[in-house]
Each structure stands twice: as C-alpha cells, then as structure tokens.
C-alpha cells in the first residue's frame, strides 16, 4: 500500500473513525458507515485511518476491518489489545500498522497506557510475528521512561504517547498540571526518539490542545478521533480535518 507523500513538517494525521461506528451501533443497523467516513477522511487529506477493534466489538466490527482493508488507499492502523484473538485477526489482514493498547471491558475509552515494563516477555513474544508479517508495531504508552525503554527492548518500532492526562488537565483548567504533563510528553518524545523509536501521540486531542504536541519535532504522527468525529456533526468531516491539519502545520512551522 502506497503511503501518501510525507506531509509538510513530517507530521502525519491519522483519523480514528471508531465513533462513527459508535453512532451506527446505537441503532444496530448499517448507518452511518465508518468505512464511508474513512474514505471521506482519505479524500480530505488524512494520512492514515485508525480503527480499534475492541474485544467487546462495541464500535468497530470485524467486517469493518475487512472492508477498510479492501477499500482504503491510505494505511490502516489497527488498534488492538494484546490477545491471541486479535493477533490472529491482525496476522490475517496484515494492516500497515498495529498499535497495541490496554483494554478493560468496563472502561469508556482507553484510559491509560500499556504496562509494557510489567509484561515485557509476553509482549515481546506477542509482537514478534506481527513484525515478521510486515506490520509496523506501536505500543501505546504513558509518558514514562520505564515504559518507553521496555517498548524499545521488546522490538517495537513505534511508541504512541498517551496525551489523555494532558488533555484532561487542560479541559479541567488544571493549568499547572497540564503544563507538567506537556513537559513529560516533550521529554519522553525526545527520549524515545533518541532510543531510535518512531514517536506518535494521541488521545483526547482537540483544536485547543493539539498545537504544543504537534510542535514536538520528534513526533511524526498524531492519531485523533473523538474530537474530529464530534466536530464533524457541526462542520462536516473534511472541514474539521482541514482545520486540524492547519493547526498542526502552523505549530510545526
Ligand atoms: N490513539 C490511541 C492509541 C487510542 O486508543 C485512541 C482512542 O481510541 C486515540 C489515539 C484517539 O483518541 P481520541 O478518540 O480521544 O482522539
């Protein structure tokens, strides 16, 4: 699959379409179709599409993944928990990228980063066949040195830094904490890059939080979903995406 040419400043935007499926599943039918949203995002300039196939299939379904693989021209980043079932699905489809995330059934969304340090041997065995199959393997981790080091040791090519704590602090106007979280992210982006890892970031990013993260020179990809899909209700996905892209490029410049 041909990736788009590198965007200005080398910062890609991956659009997460999970919540189009959330709305579809609220009525149990086929509308709105997340694959249609993915193609729209692609046409509007997304550099990739991200979808999280959860164990409970609360939003994205197996057939969505199949159809995304068949129809997308941009790379698919499959988010998944480190389970045998998900590994065999990923090995069947061989998406461009997989992002390994923690998953708890009762959580509303992916609440924290993966504890790579605690589960290092199992995760090393888990990702080896995915890498051999040609998938770019990313670990979704908190901005924590031990987690980034562990991700590097087990052979992941990428760490995606969890921006949720920063975004939550920003939204709650806990300004000092938001600044601290941002500094942690900045330091970890540099640290991960120096270890030879590709650095991505995501979770909870919106127009008012994206700029400082987009400005980290080590970050090469942002994955953004909930805000973009929410904003699409008001302005449409192409417009929401274009504005996010503009803010990213401005910050990068
Ligand atoms: N990156 C990862 C690894 C995620 O799990 C999620 C949420 O599914 C996102 C990015 C996107 O987060 P949001 O939907 O809050 O933008």
């Amino acid at each position: 699959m041909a990736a788009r040419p590198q965007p200005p400043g080398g910062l890609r935007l991956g659009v997460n379409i999970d919540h189009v499926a959330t709305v579809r599943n609220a009525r149990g039918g086929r509308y709105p179709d997340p694959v249609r949203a993915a193609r729209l995002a692609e046409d509007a300039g997304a550099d990739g599409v991200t979808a999280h196939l959860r164990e409970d299939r609360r939003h994205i379904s197996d057939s969505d993944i199949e159809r995304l693989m068949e129809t997308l021209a941009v790379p698919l980043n499959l988010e998944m928990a480190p389970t045998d079932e998900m590994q065999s699905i990923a090995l069947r489809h061989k998406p461009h990228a997989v992002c390994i995330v923690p998953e708890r059934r009762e959580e509303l969304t992916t609440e924290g980063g993966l504890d790579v340090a605690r589960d290092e041997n199992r995760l090393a065995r888990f990702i080896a066949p995915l890498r051999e199959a040609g998938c770019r393997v990313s670990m979704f981790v908190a901005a924590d040195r031990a987690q980034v080091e562990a991700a590097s040791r087990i052979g992941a090519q990428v760490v995606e830094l969890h921006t949720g704590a920063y975004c939550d602090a920003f939204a709650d106007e806990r300004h000092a904490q938001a600044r601290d979280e941002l500094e942690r992210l900045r330091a970890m982006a540099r640290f991960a890059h120096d270890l030879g890892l590709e650095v991505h970031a995501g979770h909870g990013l919106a127009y008012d939080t994206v700029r400082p993260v987009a400005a980290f020179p080590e970050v090469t990809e942002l994955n953004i979903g909930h805000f973009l899909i929410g904003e699409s209700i008001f302005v449409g996905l192409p417009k929401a995406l274009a504005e996010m892209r503009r803010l990213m490029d401005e910050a990068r410049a």
Side-chain angles (χ1 to χ4, degrees), residues 123-145:
L123 288 169
R125 283 194 301 276
F126 182 82
I127 67 169
L130 296 166
R131 279 201 60 166
E132 277 160 32
C135 300
R136 183 196 73 190
V137 177
S138 167
M139 311 304 279
F140 188 43
V141 295
D144 179 291
R145 201 180 167 97

Side-chain angles (χ1 to χ4, degrees), residues 4 34-46 72 232 236-238 241:
R4 279 186 195 276
V35 179
R36 182 177 167 199
R39 295 180 65 176
L40 188 61
E42 181 179 281
D43 290 346
L72 278 185
S232 301
L237 185 55
L241 204 150

Side-chain angles (χ1 to χ4, degrees), residues 16 18 52 79 99 101 110 140 160 202-205 223-226:
N16 181 315
D18 292 351
H52 184 177
E79 279 183 24
C99 181
V101 302
T110 314
F140 188 43
E160 179 162 331
H203 204 96
L205 292 170
N223 285 302
I224 308 182
H226 185 265

